[in-house]
Amino acid sequence: MPEYLPPPPPTTGPHHGAPPYPTTMPAQGSVLPIGVTSVVPTGGIGSTGMMLAPLSGQTQAIQRSHVTNAIREVTVCKASDGKVGMRVKAINKGIFVCLVKKESPAAMAGVRFGDQVLQVCGVTVAGYSMDKVHDILRKAPNNGIVIAVRDRPFERAVTLHKDSTGHIGFQFKDGEVTAIVKDSSAARNGLLIEHYLLEVNGQNVVGVRDKDISNIINECGPTVSVTIMPGFVYKHIMKHMAANLIKKMDHSIPDL
């Protein structure tokens, strides 16, 4: 495997001194519409022996972003406002977390966007409406609320490796992946368009501006893990979500 060369220090501009767009673009075209944010390689990544992904399974960033689909129990209490700090949405007879508020009991218990709620206080909620689940939470005791969740069943994490210019090979707009660069780490590792970015190295980026997501990626080390969700599921979960609620989303770096 070729040795990774760390990216050069930034100079000026959103692409750190590199040309604004690569010369080998996907089918979408060689000129991007105004407002599209790009995280793309501009050289040094097309060699035949290029690794698919680094041997990085032990890094904290990858551990934070690991999607297990496993079932776990979390125990939460109510805050001073009588709420646990999460909202849910009903999809295909299942209940999914669509909002975890910053510094809320749900956030501190490790509940994450996209988790599937299976039980609340011993009540199986499959087939329940969003309002019925919220009502169960409202009537629950202040302490010792046990919630069984399946870890983010609609999501998957893709580990990417920065090239010598610090780029990983995809473009996104409003959080949605819109293009994959040929022969990039994103292409080699199976990142897909029409998927939304939910986490970067385990940190929730739902509702975060594209510019700020790019900054988070740029501040990561040579390895970046992005957690994505199909667009049709994401849009269903986020449908009718008020902007003032999205701003309250927990964007803290999860503990291990």
Side-chain angles (χ1 to χ4, degrees), residues 57-94:
Q58 299 305 312
T59 65
Q60 288 187 344
I62 304 306
Q63 291 177 20
R64 288 191 181 100
S65 63
H66 182 50
V67 179
T68 67
N69 294 152
I71 297 174
R72 70 187 189 278
E73 278 191 348
V74 297
T75 302
V76 300
C77 61
K78 291 183 179 180
S80 57
D81 60 359
K83 300 178 181 179
V84 300
M86 76 176 193
R87 292 175 64 89
V88 299
K89 184 68 67 73
I91 300 177
N92 295 345
K93 299 298 182 179

Side-chain angles (χ1 to χ4, degrees), residues 230-246:
F232 70 93
V233 180
Y234 177 85
K235 291 174 183 176
H236 194 148
I237 289 180
M238 298 298 289
K239 190 176 182 180
H240 304 312
M241 280 278 287
N244 64 325
L245 283 177
I246 297 175

